[in-house]
């Protein structure tokens, strides 16, 4: 297509086409050009639309146009027909929910066909002050706990607000703290629309507390009150030493064990278990210092751990074992275990602390003695006893008188026939030596049940270490703890494993049934 054809087509488009009616002429008037409103309000924009042309206008749309602002809803209307010279008055509402404060440029628009008529207006959204306050604190605290009180202000305003916060804290209606905080700004955007302030009360005294919070933002004042209590439980405790273990038990008013109570036994920090019990092994005699924190009330007490002392005396085929305390007083009802080359036997001390061991049951030579009592640390010793000599039976010699001058030859003395006695002595020495060796090198294990507790003690041999010790017992256990090694409860069994114990070292297992 050449240039002359393009120009001709352009002219044809510019010239009015015969037979096509002209567009109507409209006049849009807005009497009020500026508006103010707060969130939650609705404003009405009055308009007047006039047809100043010679053509009838049909399907005229009138509406508000503006930026897409969250919280602003615009409206529209339709005029079906407007004759030449006719005028109509309308109002277009603007719904203001909760837009941000500020000035917005809007337009009132009338549209008919392709013709648009616009009139600018402005809308000022005012700040609406809206906020809430709260005090975050629990209802009750145990005496001895720290208390944190959090003051909170949350703004739902559509603009920036600022103000002041103050608080007072009372204990039994007596003021213990107060403070004012000024010029706090809150913005409509998260997270700046929130303010928090933490009041820390370290281990407050027991009693009832009241917190009063006062605020004033944007001319609006608010007050809130919260109360909490710091209380003490009536706790009691028991201490005892039994079978080498120091026990501490904490009970409530109903006699139930209290869990989580801090207990320190001679520098070892513990907490009571679900039964209210804390315990340690007492390895040495002495006075053990115990400290308990009973809901913030510090209590100190002591447990005396005493040790048994042994002495012995051999009387022929009997070994007398004397058991005394540190003051030299005889201790009755103490179990004595004696292990010798040929066997093991037990005895119990009388009221004077004396036990009798039949050496015929243990054999002579090296004897391992062990004294045990629930109330004392045990004692051990290895003693050597000798087999008493049996009296020899001599045959009286007959004397024959001979004449003085007669000389009688003296027959040579034959050595006595001891039969197999040398071989027996050699075999006894071998048996005695091997048995003593086992007593010194074999690990020892003891088990005992007390009420709903089951105790196991293992001791490494005195002359060598114990490695890879494993103990299994089918028992209905609730919990199990050990002073050394790992403990597990699996398939109705308690499994206790220890990698290594030094020579003579002991370890304890406590099983709760």
């Amino acid at each position: 297509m050449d240039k002359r054809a393009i120009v001709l087509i352009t002219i044809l488009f510019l010239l009015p086409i015969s037979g096509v009616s002209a567009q109507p002429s409209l006049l849009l008037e807005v009497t009020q050009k500026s508006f103010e409103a707060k969130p939650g309000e609705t404003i009405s924009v009055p308009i007047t639309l006039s047809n100043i042309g010679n053509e009838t206008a049909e399907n005229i749309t009138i509406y508000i146009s503006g930026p897409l602002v969250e919280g602003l809803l615009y409206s529209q209307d339709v005029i079906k027909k407007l004759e030449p010279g006719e005028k109509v008055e309308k109002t277009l509402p603007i719904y203001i929910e909760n837009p941000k404060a500020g000035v917005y440029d809007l337009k009132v628009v009338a549209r008919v066909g392709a013709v648009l008529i616009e009139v600018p207006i402005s809308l000022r959204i005012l700040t609406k002050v809206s906020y809430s306050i709260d005090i975050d604190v629990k209802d009750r605290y145990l005496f001895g706990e720290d208390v944190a009180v959090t003051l909170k202000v949350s703004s739902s305003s559509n603009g920036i607000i600022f103000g002041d916060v103050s608080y007072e804290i009372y204990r039994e209606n007596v003021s213990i703290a107060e403070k004012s905080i000024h010029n706090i700004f809150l913005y409509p955007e998260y997270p700046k629309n929130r303010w928090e302030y933490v009041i820390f009360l370290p281990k407050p005294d027991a009693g009832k507390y009241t917190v009063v919070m006062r605020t004033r933002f944007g001319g609006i004042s608010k007050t809130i009150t919260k109360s909490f209590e710091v209380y003490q439980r009536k706790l009691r405790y028991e201490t005892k030493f039994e079978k080498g273990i120091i026990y501490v038990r904490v009970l409530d008013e109903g006699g139930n064990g209290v869990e989580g109570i801090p207990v320190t036994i001679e520098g070892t920090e513990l907490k009571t278990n679900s039964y209210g019990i804390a315990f340690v092994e007492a390895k040495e005699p002495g006075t053990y210092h115990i400290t308990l924190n009973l809901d913030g009330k510090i209590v100190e007490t002591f447990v005396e751990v005493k040790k048994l002392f042994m002495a012995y005396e051999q009387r022929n085929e009997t070994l007398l074992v004397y058991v005394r305390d540190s003051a030299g007083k005889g201790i009755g009802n103490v179990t004595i275990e004696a292990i010798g080359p040929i066997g093991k036997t037990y005895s119990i001390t009388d009221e004077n602390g004396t036990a009798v061991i039949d050496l015929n049951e243990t054999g002579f030579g090296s004897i391992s003695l062990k004294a045990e009592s629930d109330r004392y640390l045990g004692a051990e010793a290895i003693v050597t006893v000798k087999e008493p000599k049996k009296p020899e039976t001599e045959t009286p010699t007959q004397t024959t008188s001979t004449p003085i001058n007669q000389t009688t030859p003296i027959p040579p003395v034959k050595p006595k026939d001891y039969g197999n006695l040398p071989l027996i002595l050699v075999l006894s020495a071998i048996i005695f030596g091997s048995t003593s060796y086992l007593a010194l090198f074999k690990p020892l294990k003891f088990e005992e049940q007390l009420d709903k507790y089951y105790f196991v003690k293992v001791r490494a041999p005195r002359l060598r270490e114990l490695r890879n010790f494993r103990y299994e017992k089918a028992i209905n256990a609730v919990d199990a703890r050990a002073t050394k090694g790992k403990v597990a409860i699996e398939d109705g069994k308690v499994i206790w494993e220890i990698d290594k114990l030094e020579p003579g070292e002991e370890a304890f297992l406590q099983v709760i049934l």
Side-chain angles (χ1 to χ4, degrees), residues 181-252:
I181 305 162
H182 302 288
N183 297 324
I184 300 169
F185 285 82
L186 297 175
Y187 297 83
E189 300 88 4
Y190 177 83
K192 293 184 179 181
N193 65 335
R194 297 182 180 182
W195 177 87
E196 293 185 358
Y197 185 82
V198 179
I199 306 166
F200 183 72
L201 302 177
K203 298 179 175 57
D205 295 332
K208 293 186 177 180
Y209 290 77
T210 301
V211 182
V212 181
M213 177 183 179
R214 308 179 194 276
T215 62
R216 185 174 178 82
F217 284 86
I220 299 177
S221 299
K222 294 186 178 185
T223 302
I224 189 174
T225 301
K226 285 284 185 74
S227 297
F228 64 92
E229 179 185 9
V230 177
Y231 70 98
Q232 281 181 296
R233 293 174 289 186
K234 293 183 179 179
L235 303 179
R236 58 186 178 91
Y237 66 93
E238 301 170 349
T239 61
K240 67 176 180 179
F241 169 74
E242 188 174 66
K243 296 184 178 180
I245 305 294
I246 296 175
Y247 294 92
V248 178
R249 190 180 184 198
V250 180
L251 307 169
D252 60 15

Side-chain angles (χ1 to χ4, degrees), residues 410-481:
I410 299 176
V413 179
K414 295 182 179 180
K416 292 184 179 180
D417 185 8
Y418 290 96
N420 295 327
L421 180 60
L423 179 59
I424 294 174
L425 292 176
V426 172
L427 292 177
S428 298
I430 294 173
I431 294 173
F432 165 75
S434 61
T435 309
S436 300
Y437 180 86
L438 292 176
L440 294 177
F441 283 81
K442 182 179 180 181
L444 302 177
K445 178 167 65 69
F446 307 93
E447 302 180 50
E448 185 167 358
Q449 182 172 346
L450 177 64
D451 195 12
K452 57 184 177 182
Y453 300 98
Y454 194 86
F455 296 93
V456 179
K457 181 172 76 172
V458 62
R459 175 183 296 163
R462 300 181 66 87
L463 298 181
R464 69 175 179 85
E465 62 185 24
L466 176 63
R467 286 185 176 272
N468 300 322
F469 172 80
R470 181 181 174 89
Y471 171 86
E472 288 189 19
K473 187 172 185 67
I475 190 170
N476 187 17
V478 176
D479 191 13
R481 300 180 181 184

Side-chain angles (χ1 to χ4, degrees), residues 145-215:
E145 292 182 345
D146 297 329
V147 175
V149 181
T150 304
L151 309 181
K152 296 182 177 181
V153 182
S154 298
S155 173
S156 56
S157 301
N158 63 327
I160 300 174
I161 62 174
F162 66 94
D164 305 326
V165 175
S166 64
Y167 69 86
E168 304 117 44
I169 301 179
Y170 299 88
R171 177 180 177 273
E172 308 291 353
N173 298 323
V174 176
S175 177
I176 62 170
E178 61 179 33
K179 188 175 182 179
S180 295
I181 305 162
H182 302 288
N183 297 324
I184 300 169
F185 285 82
L186 297 175
Y187 297 83
E189 300 88 4
Y190 177 83
K192 293 184 179 181
N193 65 335
R194 297 182 180 182
W195 177 87
E196 293 185 358
Y197 185 82
V198 179
I199 306 166
F200 183 72
L201 302 177
K203 298 179 175 57
D205 295 332
K208 293 186 177 180
Y209 290 77
T210 301
V211 182
V212 181
M213 177 183 179
R214 308 179 194 276
T215 62

Side-chain angles (χ1 to χ4, degrees), residues 51-153:
N51 188 349
I52 58 174
N54 297 323
E55 299 291 334
T56 300
E58 295 181 351
N59 297 324
I60 306 169
T61 303
I62 53 175
Y63 58 92
I64 304 293
S65 175
L68 295 176
V69 177
E70 184 178 357
L72 275 182
L73 296 179
Y74 309 125
S75 64
Q76 67 177 14
D77 201 352
V78 176
I79 302 173
K80 294 294 186 182
K81 183 182 290 188
L82 192 61
E83 299 292 343
E86 187 180 358
K87 178 170 60 174
V88 66
E89 293 181 351
K90 294 280 188 179
T91 58
L92 293 176
I94 301 177
Y95 303 98
I96 303 167
E97 294 181 342
N98 192 30
K100 294 181 181 178
V103 177
Y104 298 89
D105 294 326
L106 310 178
K107 295 177 183 179
V108 180
V109 180
R111 178 176 180 177
V112 56
V115 178
L116 293 177
I117 305 171
E118 299 177 345
V119 176
I121 62 173
S122 66
L123 173 61
R124 181 183 181 86
I125 303 298
L126 303 176
T127 299
K128 180 182 179 180
V129 178
S130 177
Y131 70 96
S132 60
I133 63 175
D134 190 21
I135 300 174
D136 185 10
V137 65
K138 295 192 299 185
D139 294 332
R140 304 185 76 203
Y141 294 86
L142 278 174
F143 179 70
E145 292 182 345
D146 297 329
V147 175
V149 181
T150 304
L151 309 181
K152 296 182 177 181
V153 182

Side-chain angles (χ1 to χ4, degrees), residues 338-344 359 361-368 383 385 428-439:
I339 302 176
I342 66 173
K344 177 170 62 175
L359 295 176
E361 297 181 6
T362 61
F364 298 89
S366 182
I367 307 295
S368 173
V383 302
V385 297
S428 298
I430 294 173
I431 294 173
F432 165 75
S434 61
T435 309
S436 300
Y437 180 86
L438 292 176

